[in-house]
Structures are given as C-alpha cells and as structure tokens.
Amino acid sequence: MKTSIATVCVSGTLADKLHACAAAGFDGVEIFEPDLLAAPESPEEIAALAARLGLSLDLYQPMRDVEGVDEEAFAAVLRRAEAKFRLMRRLGMDLVLCCSNVATATVDDDAVSASQLRRLGELAEGYGIRIAFEALAWGRYVDDYRRAWRIVELADHPAVGICLDSFHMLSRGHDPAAIADIPGDRIFFVQLADAPLLSMDVLSWSRHHRLFPGEGGFDLVDFTARIVAAGYTGPWSLEVFNDTFRQTDPRRTALHARRSLRWLEDAVARYAPDATVSRPDIAMLPDSAAPSDVDFVEITAEDTSSVEELLAQLGFTPRGRHRTKPVTLWTAGEARVILNEQHARGQAPRLAAIGFEVDDAEAVDLRMHDLRVPRAYRRTYASEERLDGAVAPDGTEIYWAQAADEGDPAWVREFEHGEPPRESPVLAVDHISLTQPWQVVEESTLFYTAGFALSLDSRTDVPGPQGLVESRVLTAPNGAIRIPLNVAPPILAERGGDGPTVLPQHAAFRCTDVRALARAARTRGFRPLEMPANYYDDIAARFDLADAFVDELRDLHLGYDRDSAGEYLHFYTRTIGEVFLEFVERIGDYAGFAAGTAPVRLTAQRGR
Amino acid sequence: MKTSIATVCVSGTLADKLHACAAAGFDGVEIFEPDLLAAPESPEEIAALAARLGLSLDLYQPMRDVEGVDEEAFAAVLRRAEAKFRLMRRLGMDLVLCCSNVATATVDDDAVSASQLRRLGELAEGYGIRIAFEALAWGRYVDDYRRAWRIVELADHPAVGICLDSFHMLSRGHDPAAIADIPGDRIFFVQLADAPLLSMDVLSWSRHHRLFPGEGGFDLVDFTARIVAAGYTGPWSLEVFNDTFRQTDPRRTALHARRSLRWLEDAVARYAPDATVSRPDIAMLPDSAAPSDVDFVEITAEDTSSVEELLAQLGFTPRGRHRTKPVTLWTAGEARVILNEQHARGQAPRLAAIGFEVDDAEAVDLRMHDLRVPRAYRRTYASEERLDGAVAPDGTEIYWAQAADEGDPAWVREFEHGEPPRESPVLAVDHISLTQPWQVVEESTLFYTAGFALSLDSRTDVPGPQGLVESRVLTAPNGAIRIPLNVAPPILAERGGDGPTVLPQHAAFRCTDVRALARAARTRGFRPLEMPANYYDDIAARFDLADAFVDELRDLHLGYDRDSAGEYLHFYTRTIGEVFLEFVERIGDYAGFAAGTAPVRLTAQRGR
C-alpha cells in the first residue's frame, strides 16, 4: 500500500524531514503547515525537493475552524482558505485537511456546517483541490467521525470527503463499525496513530503521547482492516505527535515509523484475508516464529579475564578459543557465553550481543530485510558457520541461527583446545536485561515484536536511588526468551558518558539449586553482590518465612520472592564494567523477576 | 513550625538523603520503608546518624492493607505489624502511617475497620507506638478523609489517630471544611504535596507528578491554615513523588523543598492571621514588594566586542568603562546593558546576570536569607555601590538595588569616559528569556515567586525543530518585569556540553517605533535574523493585512502578532555565543510574546 507520514512526526527543518522520510522509504508526506512556514525554501523549492526525492505531497494540514460559524466569520474563512489554496497550487498539492471547529464555532447545526463545507469545496474545486473533513476528538460540536460523515454526506460535493484518524476515533472509544457505511472513495485520507491507554485529557494525550502503530493500546489492525474493507485505496499515513520523536534524529525516527507501517500491513493481511486478497499491495512479512531458545550471550571487553574468573567460580566450563579470533567460549548446561576481545580496545566488559536459535533462519533474514533493520556484520572465514544478525536500536547485536536438531550448535566446533563440558547446576539462560536510552525504547520494542515475534508482557516502574527505571518485559510464547528492557532515567543517560554506568545490563541463568551453586561458588572464592540485612528482616516479616531459611538466604546474599504461582530465589554477581550476572531458581510457575528486590539491588550496586 | 520531609522526595541512598535533609535545615524526616530496606546500615546506625545530624525520625511509612479484611487475614496483619513495631523500636520511632486498604480489602464496613485499627493500636501501644490512619485517594473502600476520621473516631483508642495528606484530599476535590470537625490532637500527622491540575488517573498523577507547595494548582495555603486552626501542632511534612526530583542531586532538591515550606509558612501566616496569631513558630517572611523595574542586564564574555557592535547599531550609547573592572555600560532610554569581561576566560557571550530595582533592598536581602537562597558575590571596593545578589537555580545571577528617586541609579557614576546619553527609540527592557535545564524549572519558578513576589502567568508549549519548548512566564504585578522561562527538551540539555547552544537566552527591549529602529540599524550595517518568506504569506492571510504593510515587515524581517488587546511588532538579532537580542513594539494592550512566531524563530536560529 501507499505509505505516508506527517512532517510533524520527526524533528528538524522541513528539508531535513523530507530527506529523512524519503530515505526511510515512504511514498509521500503530509505537509504540516508550521513546518512550511518556518522553512527558508519557497513552496516551489519544496515541491521540487520532494519530486527529486520521489515523495508525493499527499495532504496539506491543518486548516482549522472552517465550519459551524456565522456568515461574517465564514467570509473570513473563505478569504483565508483561498490564500492557502493558492499556496497549495504552488506546492502542486490537491488535498487539504479541514478539522472540525474547536475555537470559533457558534452554530451547532449539521446543515450549516454542511453548507459551509460545500461552499468551501466549490472554492477548492476551482483550484483543483479537494477537502478532507476530520472530526477532532475535542471538536466543539463535531467530535465523532459518524457526525462528520453525516455532514460530508449533506454537503454532497465531489470535492468534499472525510479524513479518518485512528487517534480521534479510538481515544474516544467510538465504535469503528460505522466505517462500513462510508463508501471507500469518500474516504479522502486516513491518518494512523497508536497511543498508550492513558486516562488523561484527550488533548494532552493526543499532543504528547501518540505512538506509531503496534506500540500502544489501540486496535489499529482492526481499524485499518475496516478501512480497507470499505474500499479505501489511498495512503496509510502516520500522524504521531510525540515529545520524544520530536527530539530524536529524524532519519532514525522515520525508519522506525516506516517499520511500524510494515508491521501493520503484515498484521492487517493476516487479520483480514478476505479484505486483502484482492490487494496485492498489502502483503504479509515472511513467516517466522519466535526464537525457540537463546543460542549464546556475548560479552565484549579489551580484557575479559575478570569475567572468566567469575564464570569459573560459577560452574562454567572453558570450552576453548575460536580458531581464527580472540574469542573464547564458556558453557554450563545449555547456557553458552562468548567472551570477545576483538575490536574492543579500551572497552570495559559489556553485553554486546545475543544469539537466538530459530526454526527458519532464512525466514528471519527475509523478515529483517523487509523491515529495513540495519544489519550486524561479523567477518567469517571459509569453513566457518555463517552468522546473520541485526543491530538493535540500543546498539546490541542480535544474531540468529538455525536451531540444531540435538546437541551443540555447529559453530561450537570452531572453538579449540577447551575442556569437555561437565555437570553444572546451571541449566540455561533465564533472561537478559538490556538497558535502553530513553530515546529508543519504543523503537526497541518494535524491533523485538515485529522482527522476532516476541510479545510485550508487562511494564513496571522500579524505583532506584537515582530515579524510576521503567522495565518492560518481552517474551517468546514458549517462555524460552525473556528480555526485560530497562529504560534509564534521563539523568543516568546523560551521565553515561563519563560517570560510572549506573544502570548496567545483565544476563541471568536458571539453575537447579541456586543455594548449592552459591555455596559451591563461595568455596571457589566468589563474592556475590551483598544484600543489606534490613532486606532479610523485611522478607521474613512479609512472607512469614522460617528463621533457618532466612538465615540461609542472608548468609548467601540470596534474594527471595513469592507469588501465587511459585517462588524465586536468586543472587547477583558484582558489576564488572557495564555488566553483571544473576543466577536464579524458579520454583513452581513463578514467572516474574523479583521486582521487589530490584530497588535493593540498584542501591547495592550504587554502593559498589 | 516543625518541618519534615519523606525520604522518598529526594534521590540517593538513605544516608545520602538524611545528610541532604539535615543540611537543608529540616527538623525531621519520614522514613520511607523501601529506603530503609535497601540501606546497608542497621536501624540502630540510621537512628544514630539521624541523631548526630539533629533530625527527628517523625513517621515510619507506609504500612499497607491493614484493615477491612477478614479475621484470618487480620491475624497475618498483626504478625507483620509486630515485626515492624520491633523495627521501629530499633529506630527509636513512635509513629507509623497506615494507609487505607487498596489490595486486600473484602469488608466494606466502618465498624470492622475501626475494630481492626483499635486492635492494631492496642498492639502498637505496647511498643509505645501510635498509628496515623490515612485515606488514600484510590483506597478500595476508604478513599475520603471524612470516612477515615469516622473510622478513627469509632476505633476510639489513644494510639489511633488520622494522617491528613493534601494530595489525597485535594486531588479528589474533597472539601477540606470538615477538617474543622477533627480535634487537633487527633491529627497525628500532616503530609503536604502540591500538584499541577492534570486530568489523569489519580494513581499515576500521585506517583509521578506531585510538586512542592506553591508549584502546582492546589490551594495548600487554605488547606494548611485549616489544619492549624484545628489545633494541629505537629510537623508539616512534605511527601512528593516526582520523577524529576527522584533523579536530581538530593542536597539541591532538599533545599528547594525546604524553601517551599518556608514559602507556605509565610503564606499561611498572611492568609490566616487569626489562626496563627498565637503561633510564634508560624512567621511571615520579611515584607518586600515585587521589583519595580529592571535595573540592568549583564552579558559576560571573554571578548564582548561583537555585542558592542550590535548595541551601537541598535541605538545604544557607550557610557564608559567601570573604574576598577573590565566592564562597560551601554544604555538606551531606561535600558542599561552591562558588558563584563571579568572572570570570563574562554566564555562566549551569555546572559549572566540581571539587576532588579526594588523599593526595599534590605527587605529583599532578609527575605532571600530566610529562604536560604545561595548568594551571588561581586567584589566591590570602598566608595563603590554595594550590590546584593542571589544565584538562581539555572546559574543566572540576580541582583537587587534600591530604586533611584529619579534619573540614573548611583552605580552608573562608577563608569567613566563615556558618551552622554542620547535620544533612542529604545525605551526600556521589555522581557528577559532564560533557558532552563529541565531539572531545575520548578526550583527556578519558586525562586522568583517566593523570592521576588513574581507570579506565574502562563504556560505554553512552543514547537521547535528539536522538540517542544515549555515556556512559562513570570511577571511583576506592575508589568515592569517579564521573565519567560524556557525549558529545553532533554535532548538539547544533553547536547549543551559540546554542541552549539541551540536554545539561547535573550533580552528584549521595548521601542517607540520598531520599524524606524530596524531601518536606522540597517543603515549602520545591522543584519537581523532572517525570517522566511513563507511566514509573511501566512500572516498576510491569517491577519488579513495590507500588502504594503506586509512588504515592510518582510523587508525588515519583522515578526507580527495580533490579539484582541493589541498588536506586537518585533525583530531578532542573530545569536552571538549563547545570547541574542529582540526589539519589540507593543501597540494597545498586547501582553503576549508572539508565541506564533517563536517556532519560526527557533528554526531560523538553527539554520544560522
């Protein structure tokens, strides 16, 4: 389908925005009037730039407060409109958005609004321009698309149609079923925005908190499918007012936006096969299931010896060194940790890459390509396993490889001179927490949901000593992949450059008996992150635990949580560079991450 | 009055928080339980630290979900409570906050809640502890302080009283009149928080957006006065959950918090003289009116010659050099601009200081001292005028001096070898815009409102090419002082260190005839900030202006705005270093700042 985006979605000057939207692969843009007014280029120059970039100029917007006014005010509306129609001709544009009246309406009468829209349409027609009338969610009299459609029907002019905007309809809870009553060729334009389900005044919600499709709580798939079913064939256009996207690099935001539309297209094709069967321009993404398991976790550093020491204490086996690179492999159970000293000059240990096992590596590859995800590159030599990967928005590299039928994956054989695997209480990777700069967390979420079919399970705010950390958990349906994304408060993100990394990343490993592991590690010289004594007094009171058990937890510096599904025992290593490890034991069906312990951990890490 | 603050208001570890609150002059603190749990110090060590710092430990909080439960659940409540009472004894504390039940309540019956509170009170009494019961705004059954008070009355136990929290009452719009029904000695504790008047779900509003008194939309003065009138003599304690304050330096936030309570104390004393006459501990701040005028604007740089060139082009007269410092004075009409090259090594021009004329400099001085505002220091020599000043939260130095009866202020005579003042279309300083890092804007607002009796007039979001800029305008009642505070979006604040200053400060000067000034300046070689042609097409259409007038505006790069009160014509200089100048003409009673032109200006500045 044809894709479009309002210039207000991204930052920069109008020329910056056009370049960014074209580079991201959009077919066209909506010109948001304030962007044009502030631009030093003339309308003709903007039109020429768009043509050169291959962008159509789909919609000029917005024209406000045009109907529901008295005749004197309407004369001024026509005067103002004519100046804008002339401007639109200079831009070579033929469609303008007219919003329902917010400020100047005095006449609450469909017939009056329709008559005024018809006369505006007659004027527009003379300039070869059409009008798309939109009900704003906070319009003074017209705030519902069903009423806007009645007015358009009454206006009964070929140059007057309707614009449907998902935010204005779904934020008010208006039933989209009546879209079916509107002939497709009377829908002149469609604007798409998602949004988190906030309970706040709709104007602030709209102006600051919109999101790209798939990132909020609206059912945009159903909404869009209904519009396709109604016969609409025009652009699917994004109009997202968002305080963060207004600040970030426009090239990056535009790519993110374009990816969200591709995700939506795929979802609509799957959701409404009947409506899309005759629309070859609405295509699914290549089929690929969520990853079946974590293949490896990679930690990079100029010198990884401090991590090696930790892994040895914690029951991992050194499986040797890669035959062509300064890379070593450590395993325990199904958990594989790669330590990489290549291209890591001056780098303290950090969690640099994750490998997923997938059922169909080729399909993931095609899917990532279709989503225009930037690729990660690893030099491989003849006779080595190929590794396909992508760069996640936070910079972490994510690789995927065909799951082995049984035993170790093929690439393990590239490691030489190691020890044979031995028994370990460590079973596998349990979860991997990735710190997100606040600017990229929506893009990261879409990266994992659209790219790897993970789903967003939960959101929690964890209070730390330097601010609230939002934690959102992405999981695979089979439970084998769990990725909490932790959003650093701006103040930590700012200090990141020179101060200590106060919000490190971490990998957690699932064990059979975490207390046995902690004891064994201690005999090998391991010193865990120390949990404060007050914490143990509290869990004893909170969970009514036996004294001996609490003494054991305290002695080993273990955390504890319990819910109706089961229990969770765990301990943390100290932070090395920008990464730490966690070892966990899940009892029963406990599926959480001990959110109650996290604030204590954050404070303990700060004191290190 | 006795002041207190919940440790959750500020960032850091519990020990950091105690140090910060003591340094800011608080008498005591509320211990927020999660802070204690995460602390490595034992309860006895925390008690000893507080004692050493001179802080009382006023309230342990919160104990949740204690009433409205079945008897089996209540047995667990008592078990849990007893562990906490023991902990409180180790801390030497005797008052605990019990919130109305949110999670586990199953019995909606005042008698049951009262009976359970009474039994809890009996248990507490054995430990020398009292219970303050609080209705949370989102309590399952008890969400109104009037119901909480009925339950406390029914409980009828000396160890059971009520806690009144301004947020929980005022966010729900509950009438505070019933406070008068509660005997002062049954009010065991008072928690104070302000908040912006947001229309959003009360839980999110409470957890993220609370503010210190005087910074939001609640009538805390009336609220507090009623509590004083009821006979309450305990601490006034701040409990402010705020995402920003959780991140910022705790010493700074604590001082800011303490200052807000001093402001509130003053306001209560003025508002309710009858209730406070017998309370010598509730005192007014020294009386001082808002400044009557701007005395000077100071621009600092290693080399100020580029600013001198601008001022000469724009009709300012060089009035000479200071007799002891590398400082020059330029004036036009009543506007005085000081250019200061002292202590400015490597510094590009920036707006470093503002002088106010005040009616009673001594009173302002005392007031600032009472508010614990950090002082600015200027070396002055014998026979020079003394200059008193304070450092605003954004680092700008604000000075005040006794207004001269007529003519130039006395300090002007310290400048030598200048030219005599000459006629100029420039009349005076119109307004001064100060860029605020997002972390300090609330503190800055309180600095001007409490310190200088300015009032917060308006808030606008101005869309710029790199994000929304919140602009809040502070004014003096006589209109002579206008200070828009512009909050940089985080992404600009972050780049501030190394990139260009994308959100410069500016001083605006009021003129008799701004078009004449622009023409005259042009003959002297002045080149204004260029406004785009598209802007003029738009204002012609929007305001229905005559072509010749628009041509003149376009030719001179003037901005234009009009509202029902009058008109505004203005132009900007280019940015020099981190500062630019604006020249404005106000026609009629236009009181705004051409918010419509600001986005165009922000884009034009970016392209410089």
Side-chain angles (χ1 to χ4, degrees):
Chain A
M1 84 288 181
K2 187 168 169 0
T3 57
S4 190
I5 181 168
T7 53
V8 73
C9 299
V10 299
S11 71
T13 64
L14 183 54
D16 294 339
K17 293 169 187 232
L18 294 179
H19 279 283
C21 296
F26 280 95
D27 300 312
V29 298
E30 303 176 29
I31 297 285
F32 184 61
E33 181 168 81
D35 287 330
L36 181 75
L37 301 191
E41 297 85 1
S42 71
E44 290 80 2
E45 286 167 334
I46 292 297
L49 175 60
R52 185 159 61 77
L53 293 170
L55 287 172
S56 58
L57 299 180
D58 297 327
L59 181 80
Y60 189 83
Q61 67 124 319
M63 200 175 287
R64 297 188 191 278
D65 303 327
V66 296
E67 44 67 53
V69 296
D70 63 35
E71 281 302 304
E72 189 189 330
F74 189 65
V77 166
L78 287 178
R79 218 165 33 236
R80 191 156 48 90
E82 191 153 18
K84 295 300 173 188
F85 294 158
R86 273 194 229 108
L87 172 66
M88 286 177 63
R89 289 321 308 162
R90 295 175 61 194
L91 286 160
M93 294 183 69
D94 62 6
L95 186 64
V96 63
L97 180 74
C98 292
C99 306
S100 63
N101 199 319
V102 171
T104 63
T106 53
V107 188
D108 183 11
D109 183 331
D110 288 357
V112 169
S113 291
S115 147
Q116 292 175 338
L117 280 187
R118 183 170 55 246
R119 282 181 282 163
L120 201 58
E122 285 163 359
L123 181 66
E125 196 177 28
Y127 290 88
I129 286 170
R130 299 183 308 154
I131 285 166
F133 183 55
E134 173 184 70
L136 295 181
W138 52 89
R140 181 171 295 180
Y141 301 126
V142 182
D143 60 4
D144 185 324
Y145 80 103
R146 291 162 291 201
R147 183 164 180 192
W149 169 237
R150 277 202 307 277
I151 292 170
V152 167
E153 272 193 301
L154 270 175
D156 191 26
H157 190 280
V160 179
I162 194 165
C163 172
L164 298 178
D165 180 304
S166 62
F167 184 88
H168 292 294
M169 292 165 59
L170 302 178
S171 67
R172 296 286 307 272
H174 294 156
D175 186 345
I179 292 173
D181 304 336
I182 311 176
D185 63 354
R186 307 300 298 155
I187 305 174
F188 281 8
F189 208 72
V190 171
Q191 292 179 317
L192 298 168
D194 207 337
L197 299 181
L198 302 174
S199 155
M200 67 188 301
D201 75 282
V202 71
L203 181 60
S204 304
W205 188 16
S206 172
R207 292 271 168 87
H208 301 284
H209 301 287
R210 292 186 180 203
L211 293 170
F212 293 119
E215 297 173 0
F218 291 162
D219 189 350
L220 282 190
V221 177
D222 174 75
F223 174 86
T224 312
R226 286 174 189 274
I227 289 174
V228 171
Y232 174 76
T233 56
W236 296 11
S237 187
L238 298 167
E239 190 193 30
V240 172
F241 300 89
N242 178 290
D243 289 358
T244 297
F245 304 151
R246 276 181 187 275
Q247 297 180 46
T248 39
D249 181 338
R251 289 159 299 192
R252 176 163 199 158
T253 307
L255 257 175
H256 167 199
R258 182 66 188 77
R259 194 172 299 142
S260 77
L261 270 188
R262 186 65 191 92
W263 169 86
L264 180 65
E265 180 188 339
D266 170 72
V268 168
R270 290 172 198 274
Y271 176 81
D274 294 344
T276 52
V277 65
S278 61
R279 292 286 302 270
D281 61 322
I282 301 178
M284 293 181 202
L285 286 166
D287 269 310
S288 74
S292 52
D293 221 330
V294 175
D295 188 3
F296 63 85
V297 172
E298 179 178 298
I299 294 170
T300 297
E302 177 166 358
D303 177 350
T304 59
S305 55
S306 52
V307 185
E308 285 167 29
E309 187 185 347
L310 257 193
L311 291 173
Q313 290 168 341
L314 289 157
F316 279 73
T317 306
R319 300 290 299 281
R321 185 180 161 94
H322 193 271
R323 59 190 186 215
T324 64
K325 300 169 196 165
V327 172
T328 53
L329 170 65
W330 291 71
T331 70
E334 298 295 310
R336 289 178 284 275
V337 177
I338 289 172
L339 302 182
N340 187 344
E341 295 183 345
Q342 198 171 29
H343 310 311
R345 183 79 167 271
Q347 169 71 58
R350 69 183 184 91
L351 206 163
I354 302 171
F356 289 146
E357 292 182 2
V358 299
D359 292 338
D360 184 347
E362 184 66 23
V364 175
D365 200 69
L366 290 171
R367 192 176 174 100
M368 286 294 178
H369 178 77
D370 206 339
L371 289 164
R372 299 166 190 252
V373 166
R375 306 308 292 258
Y377 174 75
R378 288 287 166 103
R379 175 82 168 94
T380 47
Y381 295 90
S383 86
E384 292 176 8
E385 291 294 314
R386 199 184 104 187
L387 201 51
D388 287 310
V391 182
D394 66 351
T396 307
E397 296 183 352
I398 308 292
Y399 294 91
W400 53 88
Q402 201 74 31
D405 289 337
E406 58 183 296
D408 284 336
W411 60 264
V412 168
R413 286 192 297 273
E414 295 169 16
F415 289 79
E416 299 173 338
H417 312 300
E419 299 173 15
R422 50 169 185 259
E423 278 292 292
S424 167
V426 176
L427 294 169
V429 171
D430 184 84
H431 62 275
I432 301 164
S433 292
L434 299 175
T435 302
Q436 303 296 303
W438 59 274
Q439 301 94 324
V440 305
V441 64
E442 301 300 345
E443 190 184 345
S444 294
T445 306
L446 185 73
F447 172 84
Y448 292 104
T449 54
F452 290 103
L454 301 188
S455 58
L456 179 55
D457 262 15
S458 65
R459 295 174 190 240
T460 328
D461 280 335
V462 177
Q466 286 174 284
L468 293 178
V469 176
E470 185 200 331
S471 182
R472 43 174 85 174
V473 180
L474 293 155
T475 60
N478 71 353
I481 312 283
R482 295 185 181 95
I483 302 183
L485 299 179
N486 295 327
V487 188
I491 211 127
L492 294 193
E494 272 176 47
R495 288 184 192 159
D498 28 273
T501 300
V502 267
L503 201 61
Q505 325 241 48
H506 88 275
F509 301 93
R510 201 160 48 252
C511 312
T512 47
D513 182 342
V514 78
R515 283 172 284 176
L517 176 65
R519 275 191 298 267
R522 183 157 63 183
T523 65
R524 292 189 285 259
F526 172 70
R527 290 174 57 224
L529 182 75
E530 287 186 17
M531 302 290 278
N534 300 329
Y535 167 76
Y536 293 99
D537 293 344
D538 180 62
I539 57 172
R542 187 144 46 100
F543 297 113
D544 201 15
L545 301 172
D547 287 350
F549 180 64
V550 175
D551 288 345
E552 189 180 11
L553 297 178
R554 185 188 288 113
D555 177 48
L556 297 170
H557 289 287
L558 257 63
Y560 178 82
D561 193 27
R562 187 173 72 205
D563 64 16
S564 57
E567 293 168 284
Y568 188 74
L569 282 78
H570 62 133
F571 68 89
Y572 307 106
T573 70
R574 289 156 195 250
T575 303
I576 300 182
E578 303 173 13
V579 69
F580 68 96
L581 308 179
E582 179 185 2
F583 291 83
V584 316
E585 179 180 345
R586 293 177 183 273
I587 300 171
D589 292 324
Y590 184 95
F593 302 90
T597 313
V600 177
R601 191 250 300 162
L602 286 167
T603 302
Q605 285 176 329
R606 184 148 180 269
R608 81 177 182 278
Chain B
M1 85 287 181
K2 186 170 170 358
T3 57
S4 189
I5 181 169
T7 53
V8 73
C9 298
V10 299
S11 70
T13 63
L14 182 54
D16 294 338
K17 293 169 187 230
L18 294 180
H19 278 283
C21 296
F26 280 95
D27 300 311
V29 298
E30 303 176 27
I31 296 286
F32 185 61
E33 180 169 81
D35 287 331
L36 181 75
L37 301 192
E41 297 86 0
S42 71
E44 289 79 4
E45 285 167 335
I46 291 297
L49 175 61
R52 186 158 61 76
L53 293 170
L55 287 173
S56 57
L57 299 180
D58 297 327
L59 181 80
Y60 190 83
Q61 66 123 319
M63 200 175 286
R64 296 188 191 280
D65 303 327
V66 296
E67 45 66 54
V69 296
D70 62 35
E71 282 301 305
E72 188 190 331
F74 188 65
V77 165
L78 288 178
R79 217 165 32 233
R80 188 155 51 88
E82 191 152 19
K84 295 299 172 188
F85 294 158
R86 272 192 231 111
L87 172 66
M88 287 176 63
R89 288 323 306 162
R90 295 176 62 193
L91 286 160
M93 295 183 70
D94 61 7
L95 186 63
V96 62
L97 180 74
C98 293
C99 305
S100 64
N101 199 319
V102 170
T104 62
T106 52
V107 188
D108 184 9
D109 183 331
D110 288 357
V112 169
S113 291
S115 146
Q116 292 174 341
L117 280 186
R118 183 170 55 246
R119 282 181 281 161
L120 201 58
E122 285 162 358
L123 180 66
E125 198 176 27
Y127 290 87
I129 287 170
R130 298 184 309 153
I131 286 166
F133 183 54
E134 172 185 72
L136 295 180
W138 53 90
R140 182 173 295 179
Y141 302 125
V142 181
D143 59 4
D144 185 324
Y145 79 104
R146 291 163 292 201
R147 183 163 181 193
W149 168 237
R150 277 203 307 277
I151 292 170
V152 167
E153 272 193 301
L154 270 175
D156 191 25
H157 190 279
V160 179
I162 194 166
C163 172
L164 297 178
D165 179 305
S166 62
F167 184 89
H168 292 294
M169 292 165 59
L170 303 178
S171 66
R172 296 286 306 272
H174 293 156
D175 186 345
I179 292 173
D181 304 336
I182 310 176
D185 63 354
R186 308 301 297 155
I187 304 174
F188 281 8
F189 208 71
V190 171
Q191 292 179 316
L192 298 167
D194 207 337
L197 299 181
L198 301 174
S199 155
M200 67 188 301
D201 76 282
V202 71
L203 181 60
S204 305
W205 189 16
S206 171
R207 292 270 168 88
H208 300 285
H209 300 288
R210 292 187 180 203
L211 293 170
F212 293 119
E215 298 174 359
F218 291 161
D219 189 350
L220 282 190
V221 177
D222 174 75
F223 175 86
T224 312
R226 287 175 189 272
I227 288 174
V228 171
Y232 174 75
T233 56
W236 296 11
S237 187
L238 298 167
E239 190 194 30
V240 172
F241 300 89
N242 178 290
D243 289 356
T244 298
F245 303 150
R246 276 181 188 274
Q247 297 179 47
T248 39
D249 182 336
R251 288 158 301 193
R252 176 162 200 160
T253 307
L255 256 175
H256 167 200
R258 183 66 188 75
R259 195 173 298 141
S260 77
L261 269 189
R262 186 65 191 91
W263 169 87
L264 179 65
E265 179 188 339
D266 170 72
V268 168
R270 288 170 199 275
Y271 176 80
D274 295 344
T276 53
V277 65
S278 60
R279 291 285 302 269
D281 61 321
I282 301 178
M284 292 182 202
L285 285 165
D287 268 310
S288 74
S292 52
D293 221 331
V294 175
D295 188 5
F296 64 85
V297 172
E298 178 178 300
I299 294 170
T300 297
E302 176 166 359
D303 177 350
T304 60
S305 55
S306 52
V307 185
E308 285 167 29
E309 188 185 347
L310 256 194
L311 291 172
Q313 290 168 341
L314 289 157
F316 279 73
T317 307
R319 300 291 299 283
R321 185 181 160 94
H322 193 272
R323 59 191 187 215
T324 63
K325 300 170 197 164
V327 172
T328 54
L329 171 65
W330 292 70
T331 71
E334 298 295 311
R336 290 178 283 276
V337 176
I338 289 172
L339 303 182
N340 187 345
E341 296 183 344
Q342 198 171 28
H343 309 311
R345 182 81 168 270
Q347 170 70 58
R350 69 185 184 89
L351 207 163
I354 301 172
F356 288 146
E357 292 183 2
V358 298
D359 292 337
D360 185 347
E362 184 65 22
V364 175
D365 200 68
L366 290 171
R367 192 176 173 100
M368 286 295 178
H369 178 77
D370 206 338
L371 288 165
R372 299 167 191 251
V373 166
R375 305 309 292 260
Y377 174 75
R378 288 287 165 104
R379 175 82 169 94
T380 48
Y381 294 91
S383 87
E384 291 177 7
E385 290 295 315
R386 199 185 103 188
L387 200 51
D388 287 310
V391 182
D394 67 350
T396 306
E397 296 183 352
I398 308 293
Y399 294 92
W400 53 88
Q402 201 74 29
D405 288 338
E406 56 184 296
D408 284 335
W411 61 263
V412 168
R413 287 192 297 272
E414 296 169 14
F415 289 80
E416 298 173 340
H417 312 299
E419 299 173 16
R422 50 170 185 260
E423 278 291 291
S424 168
V426 176
L427 295 169
V429 171
D430 185 84
H431 61 276
I432 300 163
S433 292
L434 300 175
T435 301
Q436 303 296 303
W438 59 274
Q439 301 94 324
V440 305
V441 66
E442 301 301 343
E443 190 185 345
S444 295
T445 306
L446 185 73
F447 173 84
Y448 292 104
T449 55
F452 291 103
L454 301 188
S455 59
L456 178 55
D457 263 16
S458 65
R459 296 175 190 239
T460 328
D461 279 335
V462 176
Q466 286 174 283
L468 293 178
V469 176
E470 185 200 332
S471 182
R472 44 175 84 174
V473 181
L474 293 155
T475 61
N478 72 352
I481 312 283
R482 295 185 181 96
I483 301 184
L485 299 179
N486 295 326
V487 188
I491 212 131
L492 294 192
E494 272 176 48
R495 287 182 192 159
D498 29 274
T501 300
V502 268
L503 201 62
Q505 325 242 46
H506 88 276
F509 301 93
R510 201 161 50 252
C511 311
T512 48
D513 182 343
V514 77
R515 282 171 285 177
L517 176 65
R519 275 190 299 266
R522 184 156 63 184
T523 65
R524 293 189 284 258
F526 171 69
R527 291 172 57 223
L529 182 76
E530 289 187 14
M531 302 290 278
N534 300 330
Y535 168 76
Y536 294 99
D537 293 344
D538 180 63
I539 59 172
R542 187 144 46 100
F543 297 112
D544 202 15
L545 302 172
D547 287 350
F549 180 63
V550 175
D551 287 345
E552 189 180 11
L553 298 178
R554 185 189 287 113
D555 178 47
L556 296 169
H557 289 287
L558 256 63
Y560 178 83
D561 193 28
R562 187 173 70 206
D563 63 18
S564 56
E567 293 169 284
Y568 188 75
L569 281 79
H570 62 133
F571 67 88
Y572 307 105
T573 71
R574 288 156 197 250
T575 304
I576 301 182
E578 303 173 14
V579 69
F580 67 97
L581 307 178
E582 180 184 2
F583 292 83
V584 316
E585 180 181 345
R586 292 177 184 273
I587 300 171
D589 292 324
Y590 184 95
F593 302 89
T597 313
V600 177
R601 191 250 299 161
L602 286 167
T603 303
Q605 286 176 329
R606 184 148 181 270
R608 79 179 183 276

